[in-house]
Amino acid sequence: METTRLKKHLRPVLLLLVAVGLGYSFWSSAGLLQLGAGLALFLFGMQCLEEGLRDLAGSQLERWLEKSTATRGKSLLFGLFGTFLLQSSTLVSLLTIAFISTGLIQLAGGIAILFGANLGATSGIWLLALAGQNLSLSPLALPLLVLGVLMGFNGARSKAAGRILLGIAFIFLGIDQIKEGFGSFGDAMDMSELRSEGMLGALLFVTFGILITVVLQSSHATLMLTLAALAGGQLELGQSLAIAIGSNVGSSVTTAFVGSLGGNRSGQRLALAHVLFNVVTGVLAFFLLSPLTWLVHWLVTPLGLADNPMIQLALFHSLFNGMGVALFWPLQGALATALARWLPEVEEPPVLITDMAPALPTLERTHARYLNERALDSADASASAVLQELRHLGRLSIEVICHALYLPVEMLNQPRVDERQLLAAPDRHALSAEVLYQRHIKGVYGDLLSFMGRLDVPLDDEHQRLWLSCQVVALQLVDAVKDAKHLQKNLGQALLGEPSAMREAYLELRRHLLGMLREVRAVGALIGGELPADALHARLQLLDESAAAFDAAFRQRLFAAVRRQELDGLQTSSLMNDLGYVSRIIQSLRNVLQLGTEHGLFEPHEDDDAPALILP
């Protein structure tokens, strides 16, 4: 708690210090102000380009992804052209982690996409190098700005296309501003005197490239700054080549950080694959820096480009990335196998709720496991993440309901019900369902609602229906837990009392609800399997008929007990209310099963042996 409070107070202080530092730097140096403004325009243009392409593609992105990752070669091309369009290998890598974490693509396809992303990262530097230092892109940017704004007033798709044009325009303006900013610096930022002939000097500039890429979150931005400095004479060719190596390694740092935060093993494996590829390729390029530099000179000399360091930098960047792909391409299968061995699946425990300590309120809430922020960039990826999280919420909900009945969760898995456990009095120190709800349900449900509320991508009719169904499923699960909370109070008092008609009636409710939970579990296990839809509907109908038959018979037995004066009016009222809670719990879980059948919410996940959403 103290650490959180300290971070909360430190954040505005750090932001203020950064703002003051930047303000003083901009005031003291017009060139630095121009350079910072150009970099801001460039990064903002990339953001506009990303959002425009995402909004324009809509749900087509997933269909393109499915078609484009059918083979490793297609996956490579998808990564290459995706990076060319978005001009960010880091962004493509993060999107790929989101796709693989939610099961949309397999690990081998994701590795091939990363290879393509690294090759695609060379496209931007080639465009800038070919444009040259003396070519101004601002005249091209101005009409794009006008068209982009005008297209924003003509519907959603036109607005998305206009956003793409605005992104390109801001990128062009940013490039010109950065070139002029470096020109204004002149000798003030001349690093050409820092000779890098030795290994130590080259390592210094590799580290410099890593740091800039980590700060800017874009290897393209780092390379663009490097090109501008190279063209302005502030960098030598050897120094710029070392920075290019560092930018490649730095682009994997963000991927590694995001992948390590996710709970999904597939995403962590892909993040590790990206780090391995970039680090091994970077180390190899570093030790082969002299031969590669000679090869670049040998290739450009016949073309009359020996005096063009920008073209040489672009060619070097393409050569060492291509070398890395050539090295790793035949090793994809072995790499995927090794990653699965190094990062094995975390075995799902048979019971999720195991912390039964009385001091539970001092512990942190359970939160969502599978809601990757990058999944919000894609309709299918976000839906897949929500489905996985609904499975998690479903398991937690069933377990809380079992605890509300004062029964161990293991009874749902036993071939036969242990009658002694069913008749036993509850533990007086057992936690209430209210505490378990606050600890295990509320946080996950809140994370789900927040995640679904932040989705801001175009959805077709199919995705909209699926999204609505997911929201209803989450609400039904939470409603079932809330009804179990109300049921627990009277149930606990009756089960702790002496043998009586009241205690027998609550034992009957307990036995009935446990049986229905076991049946719900059995039906859920069938959904997503090979059982025909008619058979599943028949099973659901049988569940409905069993619940209705029990309700009618239980009411008859209650009034018979009243006539025999075994129950009074107040006791009967409590039992009737609690019968309603039991019926609503069963109906809520039955609705979840129905929605799962209609909308495919229970399709088996590749990393989950339990296909049913609410299997404990």
PDB file of all heavy atoms in Angstrom, residues 139-174:
ATOM      1  N   PRO A 139       5.885  19.873 -49.312  1.00  0.00           N
ATOM      2  CA  PRO A 139       4.898  20.167 -50.365  1.00  0.00           C
ATOM      3  C   PRO A 139       3.924  19.022 -50.612  1.00  0.00           C
ATOM      4  O   PRO A 139       2.765  19.266 -50.973  1.00  0.00           O
ATOM      5  CB  PRO A 139       5.774  20.422 -51.590  1.00  0.00           C
ATOM      6  CG  PRO A 139       7.078  20.892 -51.034  1.00  0.00           C
ATOM      7  CD  PRO A 139       7.269  20.105 -49.780  1.00  0.00           C
ATOM      8  N   LEU A 140       4.368  17.779 -50.411  1.00  0.00           N
ATOM      9  CA  LEU A 140       3.456  16.634 -50.556  1.00  0.00           C
ATOM     10  C   LEU A 140       2.518  16.535 -49.368  1.00  0.00           C
ATOM     11  O   LEU A 140       1.384  16.066 -49.494  1.00  0.00           O
ATOM     12  CB  LEU A 140       4.268  15.343 -50.689  1.00  0.00           C
ATOM     13  CG  LEU A 140       5.146  15.191 -51.927  1.00  0.00           C
ATOM     14  CD1 LEU A 140       5.971  13.915 -51.830  1.00  0.00           C
ATOM     15  CD2 LEU A 140       4.292  15.161 -53.182  1.00  0.00           C
ATOM     16  N   ALA A 141       3.001  16.952 -48.183  1.00  0.00           N
ATOM     17  CA  ALA A 141       2.192  16.804 -46.972  1.00  0.00           C
ATOM     18  C   ALA A 141       1.009  17.755 -46.947  1.00  0.00           C
ATOM     19  O   ALA A 141      -0.072  17.399 -46.455  1.00  0.00           O
ATOM     20  CB  ALA A 141       3.077  17.032 -45.743  1.00  0.00           C
ATOM     21  N   LEU A 142       1.167  18.960 -47.462  1.00  0.00           N
ATOM     22  CA  LEU A 142       0.107  19.970 -47.340  1.00  0.00           C
ATOM     23  C   LEU A 142      -1.197  19.564 -48.012  1.00  0.00           C
ATOM     24  O   LEU A 142      -2.274  19.656 -47.402  1.00  0.00           O
ATOM     25  CB  LEU A 142       0.612  21.306 -47.877  1.00  0.00           C
ATOM     26  CG  LEU A 142       1.807  21.903 -47.116  1.00  0.00           C
ATOM     27  CD1 LEU A 142       2.224  23.229 -47.728  1.00  0.00           C
ATOM     28  CD2 LEU A 142       1.466  22.073 -45.641  1.00  0.00           C
ATOM     29  N   PRO A 143      -1.190  19.105 -49.291  1.00  0.00           N
ATOM     30  CA  PRO A 143      -2.470  18.667 -49.868  1.00  0.00           C
ATOM     31  C   PRO A 143      -3.039  17.434 -49.159  1.00  0.00           C
ATOM     32  O   PRO A 143      -4.265  17.271 -49.083  1.00  0.00           O
ATOM     33  CB  PRO A 143      -2.114  18.356 -51.333  1.00  0.00           C
ATOM     34  CG  PRO A 143      -0.638  18.189 -51.356  1.00  0.00           C
ATOM     35  CD  PRO A 143      -0.098  19.073 -50.278  1.00  0.00           C
ATOM     36  N   LEU A 144      -2.152  16.556 -48.642  1.00  0.00           N
ATOM     37  CA  LEU A 144      -2.645  15.392 -47.906  1.00  0.00           C
ATOM     38  C   LEU A 144      -3.373  15.815 -46.634  1.00  0.00           C
ATOM     39  O   LEU A 144      -4.382  15.202 -46.244  1.00  0.00           O
ATOM     40  CB  LEU A 144      -1.483  14.463 -47.559  1.00  0.00           C
ATOM     41  CG  LEU A 144      -0.817  13.713 -48.723  1.00  0.00           C
ATOM     42  CD1 LEU A 144       0.355  12.881 -48.229  1.00  0.00           C
ATOM     43  CD2 LEU A 144      -1.827  12.818 -49.434  1.00  0.00           C
ATOM     44  N   LEU A 145      -2.879  16.861 -45.980  1.00  0.00           N
ATOM     45  CA  LEU A 145      -3.556  17.371 -44.792  1.00  0.00           C
ATOM     46  C   LEU A 145      -4.955  17.861 -45.132  1.00  0.00           C
ATOM     47  O   LEU A 145      -5.926  17.575 -44.419  1.00  0.00           O
ATOM     48  CB  LEU A 145      -2.743  18.512 -44.178  1.00  0.00           C
ATOM     49  CG  LEU A 145      -1.500  18.150 -43.373  1.00  0.00           C
ATOM     50  CD1 LEU A 145      -0.736  19.404 -42.979  1.00  0.00           C
ATOM     51  CD2 LEU A 145      -1.882  17.351 -42.127  1.00  0.00           C
ATOM     52  N   VAL A 146      -5.073  18.631 -46.223  1.00  0.00           N
ATOM     53  CA  VAL A 146      -6.383  19.168 -46.626  1.00  0.00           C
ATOM     54  C   VAL A 146      -7.344  18.037 -46.955  1.00  0.00           C
ATOM     55  O   VAL A 146      -8.489  17.997 -46.484  1.00  0.00           O
ATOM     56  CB  VAL A 146      -6.214  20.113 -47.831  1.00  0.00           C
ATOM     57  CG1 VAL A 146      -7.579  20.581 -48.327  1.00  0.00           C
ATOM     58  CG2 VAL A 146      -5.344  21.311 -47.461  1.00  0.00           C
ATOM     59  N   LEU A 147      -6.891  17.079 -47.772  1.00  0.00           N
ATOM     60  CA  LEU A 147      -7.752  15.955 -48.154  1.00  0.00           C
ATOM     61  C   LEU A 147      -8.137  15.116 -46.939  1.00  0.00           C
ATOM     62  O   LEU A 147      -9.277  14.668 -46.811  1.00  0.00           O
ATOM     63  CB  LEU A 147      -7.032  15.088 -49.184  1.00  0.00           C
ATOM     64  CG  LEU A 147      -6.873  15.684 -50.590  1.00  0.00           C
ATOM     65  CD1 LEU A 147      -6.014  14.767 -51.453  1.00  0.00           C
ATOM     66  CD2 LEU A 147      -8.234  15.900 -51.233  1.00  0.00           C
ATOM     67  N   GLY A 148      -7.171  14.892 -46.051  1.00  0.00           N
ATOM     68  CA  GLY A 148      -7.457  14.075 -44.871  1.00  0.00           C
ATOM     69  C   GLY A 148      -8.524  14.678 -43.996  1.00  0.00           C
ATOM     70  O   GLY A 148      -9.417  13.980 -43.500  1.00  0.00           O
ATOM     71  N   VAL A 149      -8.465  16.006 -43.810  1.00  0.00           N
ATOM     72  CA  VAL A 149      -9.479  16.683 -42.984  1.00  0.00           C
ATOM     73  C   VAL A 149     -10.839  16.642 -43.674  1.00  0.00           C
ATOM     74  O   VAL A 149     -11.870  16.377 -43.043  1.00  0.00           O
ATOM     75  CB  VAL A 149      -9.042  18.127 -42.693  1.00  0.00           C
ATOM     76  CG1 VAL A 149     -10.176  18.895 -42.030  1.00  0.00           C
ATOM     77  CG2 VAL A 149      -7.807  18.139 -41.802  1.00  0.00           C
ATOM     78  N   LEU A 150     -10.884  16.903 -44.977  1.00  0.00           N
ATOM     79  CA  LEU A 150     -12.155  16.902 -45.698  1.00  0.00           C
ATOM     80  C   LEU A 150     -12.809  15.524 -45.677  1.00  0.00           C
ATOM     81  O   LEU A 150     -14.027  15.404 -45.541  1.00  0.00           O
ATOM     82  CB  LEU A 150     -11.928  17.353 -47.148  1.00  0.00           C
ATOM     83  CG  LEU A 150     -11.563  18.828 -47.347  1.00  0.00           C
ATOM     84  CD1 LEU A 150     -11.287  19.112 -48.821  1.00  0.00           C
ATOM     85  CD2 LEU A 150     -12.679  19.733 -46.828  1.00  0.00           C
ATOM     86  N   MET A 151     -12.007  14.475 -45.809  1.00  0.00           N
ATOM     87  CA  MET A 151     -12.569  13.119 -45.804  1.00  0.00           C
ATOM     88  C   MET A 151     -13.126  12.732 -44.441  1.00  0.00           C
ATOM     89  O   MET A 151     -13.934  11.809 -44.328  1.00  0.00           O
ATOM     90  CB  MET A 151     -11.491  12.114 -46.225  1.00  0.00           C
ATOM     91  CG  MET A 151     -11.068  12.256 -47.680  1.00  0.00           C
ATOM     92  SD  MET A 151      -9.781  11.095 -48.156  1.00  0.00           S
ATOM     93  CE  MET A 151     -10.699   9.550 -48.151  1.00  0.00           C
ATOM     94  N   GLY A 152     -12.706  13.442 -43.398  1.00  0.00           N
ATOM     95  CA  GLY A 152     -13.217  13.148 -42.068  1.00  0.00           C
ATOM     96  C   GLY A 152     -14.659  13.527 -41.860  1.00  0.00           C
ATOM     97  O   GLY A 152     -15.270  13.147 -40.853  1.00  0.00           O
ATOM     98  N   PHE A 153     -15.264  14.258 -42.818  1.00  0.00           N
ATOM     99  CA  PHE A 153     -16.659  14.687 -42.682  1.00  0.00           C
ATOM    100  C   PHE A 153     -17.615  13.838 -43.526  1.00  0.00           C
ATOM    101  O   PHE A 153     -18.756  14.241 -43.736  1.00  0.00           O
ATOM    102  CB  PHE A 153     -16.795  16.160 -43.113  1.00  0.00           C
ATOM    103  CG  PHE A 153     -16.020  17.110 -42.259  1.00  0.00           C
ATOM    104  CD1 PHE A 153     -14.818  17.641 -42.709  1.00  0.00           C
ATOM    105  CD2 PHE A 153     -16.473  17.468 -40.999  1.00  0.00           C
ATOM    106  CE1 PHE A 153     -14.091  18.513 -41.936  1.00  0.00           C
ATOM    107  CE2 PHE A 153     -15.748  18.346 -40.205  1.00  0.00           C
ATOM    108  CZ  PHE A 153     -14.550  18.872 -40.675  1.00  0.00           C
ATOM    109  N   ASN A 154     -17.172  12.674 -43.963  1.00  0.00           N
ATOM    110  CA  ASN A 154     -17.991  11.924 -44.914  1.00  0.00           C
ATOM    111  C   ASN A 154     -18.082  10.443 -44.541  1.00  0.00           C
ATOM    112  O   ASN A 154     -17.702   9.563 -45.310  1.00  0.00           O
ATOM    113  CB  ASN A 154     -17.401  12.066 -46.325  1.00  0.00           C
ATOM    114  CG  ASN A 154     -18.321  11.515 -47.396  1.00  0.00           C
ATOM    115  OD1 ASN A 154     -19.545  11.536 -47.226  1.00  0.00           O
ATOM    116  ND2 ASN A 154     -17.757  11.020 -48.475  1.00  0.00           N
ATOM    117  N   GLY A 155     -18.567  10.145 -43.333  1.00  0.00           N
ATOM    118  CA  GLY A 155     -18.795   8.751 -42.941  1.00  0.00           C
ATOM    119  C   GLY A 155     -17.577   8.120 -42.288  1.00  0.00           C
ATOM    120  O   GLY A 155     -16.452   8.625 -42.351  1.00  0.00           O
ATOM    121  N   ALA A 156     -17.817   6.945 -41.688  1.00  0.00           N
ATOM    122  CA  ALA A 156     -16.793   6.286 -40.894  1.00  0.00           C
ATOM    123  C   ALA A 156     -15.621   5.804 -41.742  1.00  0.00           C
ATOM    124  O   ALA A 156     -14.452   6.017 -41.399  1.00  0.00           O
ATOM    125  CB  ALA A 156     -17.409   5.110 -40.122  1.00  0.00           C
ATOM    126  N   ARG A 157     -15.918   5.138 -42.867  1.00  0.00           N
ATOM    127  CA  ARG A 157     -14.838   4.600 -43.697  1.00  0.00           C
ATOM    128  C   ARG A 157     -14.034   5.725 -44.351  1.00  0.00           C
ATOM    129  O   ARG A 157     -12.809   5.646 -44.464  1.00  0.00           O
ATOM    130  CB  ARG A 157     -15.394   3.649 -44.748  1.00  0.00           C
ATOM    131  CG  ARG A 157     -15.995   2.374 -44.163  1.00  0.00           C
ATOM    132  CD  ARG A 157     -16.394   1.397 -45.256  1.00  0.00           C
ATOM    133  NE  ARG A 157     -15.227   0.909 -45.982  1.00  0.00           N
ATOM    134  CZ  ARG A 157     -14.455  -0.092 -45.554  1.00  0.00           C
ATOM    135  NH1 ARG A 157     -14.709  -0.687 -44.408  1.00  0.00           N
ATOM    136  NH2 ARG A 157     -13.423  -0.497 -46.280  1.00  0.00           N
ATOM    137  N   SER A 158     -14.728   6.763 -44.774  1.00  0.00           N
ATOM    138  CA  SER A 158     -14.028   7.912 -45.342  1.00  0.00           C
ATOM    139  C   SER A 158     -13.160   8.592 -44.278  1.00  0.00           C
ATOM    140  O   SER A 158     -12.037   9.032 -44.562  1.00  0.00           O
ATOM    141  CB  SER A 158     -15.037   8.904 -45.910  1.00  0.00           C
ATOM    142  OG  SER A 158     -14.387  10.050 -46.420  1.00  0.00           O
ATOM    143  N   LYS A 159     -13.666   8.657 -43.059  1.00  0.00           N
ATOM    144  CA  LYS A 159     -12.893   9.248 -41.974  1.00  0.00           C
ATOM    145  C   LYS A 159     -11.635   8.433 -41.695  1.00  0.00           C
ATOM    146  O   LYS A 159     -10.564   8.996 -41.449  1.00  0.00           O
ATOM    147  CB  LYS A 159     -13.756   9.328 -40.710  1.00  0.00           C
ATOM    148  CG  LYS A 159     -13.074  10.002 -39.539  1.00  0.00           C
ATOM    149  CD  LYS A 159     -14.019  10.102 -38.353  1.00  0.00           C
ATOM    150  CE  LYS A 159     -13.324  10.792 -37.183  1.00  0.00           C
ATOM    151  NZ  LYS A 159     -14.244  10.908 -36.006  1.00  0.00           N
ATOM    152  N   ALA A 160     -11.755   7.087 -41.753  1.00  0.00           N
ATOM    153  CA  ALA A 160     -10.593   6.222 -41.532  1.00  0.00           C
ATOM    154  C   ALA A 160      -9.552   6.434 -42.630  1.00  0.00           C
ATOM    155  O   ALA A 160      -8.346   6.522 -42.356  1.00  0.00           O
ATOM    156  CB  ALA A 160     -11.022   4.758 -41.479  1.00  0.00           C
ATOM    157  N   ALA A 161     -10.017   6.533 -43.891  1.00  0.00           N
ATOM    158  CA  ALA A 161      -9.089   6.788 -44.999  1.00  0.00           C
ATOM    159  C   ALA A 161      -8.434   8.161 -44.851  1.00  0.00           C
ATOM    160  O   ALA A 161      -7.236   8.333 -45.127  1.00  0.00           O
ATOM    161  CB  ALA A 161      -9.829   6.696 -46.330  1.00  0.00           C
ATOM    162  N   GLY A 162      -9.214   9.134 -44.399  1.00  0.00           N
ATOM    163  CA  GLY A 162      -8.649  10.457 -44.158  1.00  0.00           C
ATOM    164  C   GLY A 162      -7.610  10.441 -43.056  1.00  0.00           C
ATOM    165  O   GLY A 162      -6.604  11.159 -43.123  1.00  0.00           O
ATOM    166  N   ARG A 163      -7.837   9.603 -42.058  1.00  0.00           N
ATOM    167  CA  ARG A 163      -6.854   9.473 -40.964  1.00  0.00           C
ATOM    168  C   ARG A 163      -5.537   8.911 -41.492  1.00  0.00           C
ATOM    169  O   ARG A 163      -4.460   9.303 -41.044  1.00  0.00           O
ATOM    170  CB  ARG A 163      -7.417   8.557 -39.888  1.00  0.00           C
ATOM    171  CG  ARG A 163      -6.624   8.547 -38.600  1.00  0.00           C
ATOM    172  CD  ARG A 163      -7.423   9.131 -37.487  1.00  0.00           C
ATOM    173  NE  ARG A 163      -6.729   9.061 -36.227  1.00  0.00           N
ATOM    174  CZ  ARG A 163      -6.541  10.107 -35.439  1.00  0.00           C
ATOM    175  NH1 ARG A 163      -6.970  11.288 -35.833  1.00  0.00           N
ATOM    176  NH2 ARG A 163      -5.929  10.006 -34.285  1.00  0.00           N
ATOM    177  N   ILE A 164      -5.614   8.005 -42.450  1.00  0.00           N
ATOM    178  CA  ILE A 164      -4.398   7.465 -43.067  1.00  0.00           C
ATOM    179  C   ILE A 164      -3.642   8.567 -43.786  1.00  0.00           C
ATOM    180  O   ILE A 164      -2.410   8.684 -43.660  1.00  0.00           O
ATOM    181  CB  ILE A 164      -4.755   6.322 -44.034  1.00  0.00           C
ATOM    182  CG1 ILE A 164      -5.332   5.123 -43.271  1.00  0.00           C
ATOM    183  CG2 ILE A 164      -3.541   5.883 -44.843  1.00  0.00           C
ATOM    184  CD1 ILE A 164      -5.869   4.028 -44.161  1.00  0.00           C
ATOM    185  N   LEU A 165      -4.372   9.394 -44.551  1.00  0.00           N
ATOM    186  CA  LEU A 165      -3.720  10.499 -45.260  1.00  0.00           C
ATOM    187  C   LEU A 165      -3.096  11.490 -44.272  1.00  0.00           C
ATOM    188  O   LEU A 165      -1.983  11.993 -44.505  1.00  0.00           O
ATOM    189  CB  LEU A 165      -4.732  11.216 -46.152  1.00  0.00           C
ATOM    190  CG  LEU A 165      -5.296  10.415 -47.332  1.00  0.00           C
ATOM    191  CD1 LEU A 165      -6.271  11.274 -48.125  1.00  0.00           C
ATOM    192  CD2 LEU A 165      -4.176   9.902 -48.227  1.00  0.00           C
ATOM    193  N   LEU A 166      -3.795  11.760 -43.184  1.00  0.00           N
ATOM    194  CA  LEU A 166      -3.235  12.654 -42.172  1.00  0.00           C
ATOM    195  C   LEU A 166      -1.970  12.069 -41.565  1.00  0.00           C
ATOM    196  O   LEU A 166      -0.991  12.791 -41.321  1.00  0.00           O
ATOM    197  CB  LEU A 166      -4.269  12.915 -41.072  1.00  0.00           C
ATOM    198  CG  LEU A 166      -5.456  13.816 -41.432  1.00  0.00           C
ATOM    199  CD1 LEU A 166      -6.455  13.861 -40.283  1.00  0.00           C
ATOM    200  CD2 LEU A 166      -4.981  15.220 -41.774  1.00  0.00           C
ATOM    201  N   GLY A 167      -1.988  10.756 -41.319  1.00  0.00           N
ATOM    202  CA  GLY A 167      -0.809  10.106 -40.768  1.00  0.00           C
ATOM    203  C   GLY A 167       0.390  10.246 -41.689  1.00  0.00           C
ATOM    204  O   GLY A 167       1.506  10.566 -41.240  1.00  0.00           O
ATOM    205  N   ILE A 168       0.174  10.004 -42.992  1.00  0.00           N
ATOM    206  CA  ILE A 168       1.273  10.135 -43.961  1.00  0.00           C
ATOM    207  C   ILE A 168       1.770  11.576 -44.006  1.00  0.00           C
ATOM    208  O   ILE A 168       2.980  11.837 -44.053  1.00  0.00           O
ATOM    209  CB  ILE A 168       0.806   9.679 -45.349  1.00  0.00           C
ATOM    210  CG1 ILE A 168       0.446   8.180 -45.327  1.00  0.00           C
ATOM    211  CG2 ILE A 168       1.886   9.934 -46.394  1.00  0.00           C
ATOM    212  CD1 ILE A 168      -0.198   7.682 -46.591  1.00  0.00           C
ATOM    213  N   ALA A 169       0.830  12.529 -43.972  1.00  0.00           N
ATOM    214  CA  ALA A 169       1.217  13.941 -44.022  1.00  0.00           C
ATOM    215  C   ALA A 169       2.054  14.326 -42.806  1.00  0.00           C
ATOM    216  O   ALA A 169       3.084  15.010 -42.931  1.00  0.00           O
ATOM    217  CB  ALA A 169      -0.040  14.811 -44.095  1.00  0.00           C
ATOM    218  N   PHE A 170       1.634  13.914 -41.612  1.00  0.00           N
ATOM    219  CA  PHE A 170       2.390  14.249 -40.404  1.00  0.00           C
ATOM    220  C   PHE A 170       3.763  13.574 -40.410  1.00  0.00           C
ATOM    221  O   PHE A 170       4.742  14.145 -39.908  1.00  0.00           O
ATOM    222  CB  PHE A 170       1.607  13.845 -39.154  1.00  0.00           C
ATOM    223  CG  PHE A 170       0.498  14.799 -38.809  1.00  0.00           C
ATOM    224  CD1 PHE A 170      -0.815  14.359 -38.710  1.00  0.00           C
ATOM    225  CD2 PHE A 170       0.762  16.144 -38.580  1.00  0.00           C
ATOM    226  CE1 PHE A 170      -1.838  15.224 -38.386  1.00  0.00           C
ATOM    227  CE2 PHE A 170      -0.252  17.027 -38.263  1.00  0.00           C
ATOM    228  CZ  PHE A 170      -1.561  16.570 -38.169  1.00  0.00           C
ATOM    229  N   ILE A 171       3.845  12.357 -40.948  1.00  0.00           N
ATOM    230  CA  ILE A 171       5.148  11.692 -41.068  1.00  0.00           C
ATOM    231  C   ILE A 171       6.068  12.496 -41.976  1.00  0.00           C
ATOM    232  O   ILE A 171       7.241  12.724 -41.661  1.00  0.00           O
ATOM    233  CB  ILE A 171       4.973  10.253 -41.587  1.00  0.00           C
ATOM    234  CG1 ILE A 171       4.357   9.369 -40.493  1.00  0.00           C
ATOM    235  CG2 ILE A 171       6.312   9.662 -42.040  1.00  0.00           C
ATOM    236  CD1 ILE A 171       4.004   7.969 -40.959  1.00  0.00           C
ATOM    237  N   PHE A 172       5.550  12.962 -43.118  1.00  0.00           N
ATOM    238  CA  PHE A 172       6.352  13.778 -44.034  1.00  0.00           C
ATOM    239  C   PHE A 172       6.815  15.077 -43.361  1.00  0.00           C
ATOM    240  O   PHE A 172       7.977  15.477 -43.479  1.00  0.00           O
ATOM    241  CB  PHE A 172       5.541  14.108 -45.296  1.00  0.00           C
ATOM    242  CG  PHE A 172       5.384  12.943 -46.237  1.00  0.00           C
ATOM    243  CD1 PHE A 172       4.544  13.037 -47.339  1.00  0.00           C
ATOM    244  CD2 PHE A 172       6.068  11.755 -46.026  1.00  0.00           C
ATOM    245  CE1 PHE A 172       4.396  11.976 -48.218  1.00  0.00           C
ATOM    246  CE2 PHE A 172       5.936  10.687 -46.898  1.00  0.00           C
ATOM    247  CZ  PHE A 172       5.097  10.803 -48.000  1.00  0.00           C
ATOM    248  N   LEU A 173       5.874  15.754 -42.681  1.00  0.00           N
ATOM    249  CA  LEU A 173       6.235  16.994 -41.998  1.00  0.00           C
ATOM    250  C   LEU A 173       7.274  16.743 -40.908  1.00  0.00           C
ATOM    251  O   LEU A 173       8.203  17.529 -40.718  1.00  0.00           O
ATOM    252  CB  LEU A 173       4.988  17.635 -41.384  1.00  0.00           C
ATOM    253  CG  LEU A 173       3.966  18.226 -42.360  1.00  0.00           C
ATOM    254  CD1 LEU A 173       2.714  18.664 -41.614  1.00  0.00           C
ATOM    255  CD2 LEU A 173       4.570  19.409 -43.120  1.00  0.00           C
ATOM    256  N   GLY A 174       7.106  15.629 -40.187  1.00  0.00           N
ATOM    257  CA  GLY A 174       8.055  15.293 -39.129  1.00  0.00           C
ATOM    258  C   GLY A 174       9.442  15.045 -39.674  1.00  0.00           C
ATOM    259  O   GLY A 174      10.447  15.465 -39.078  1.00  0.00           O
TER     260      GLY A 174
END
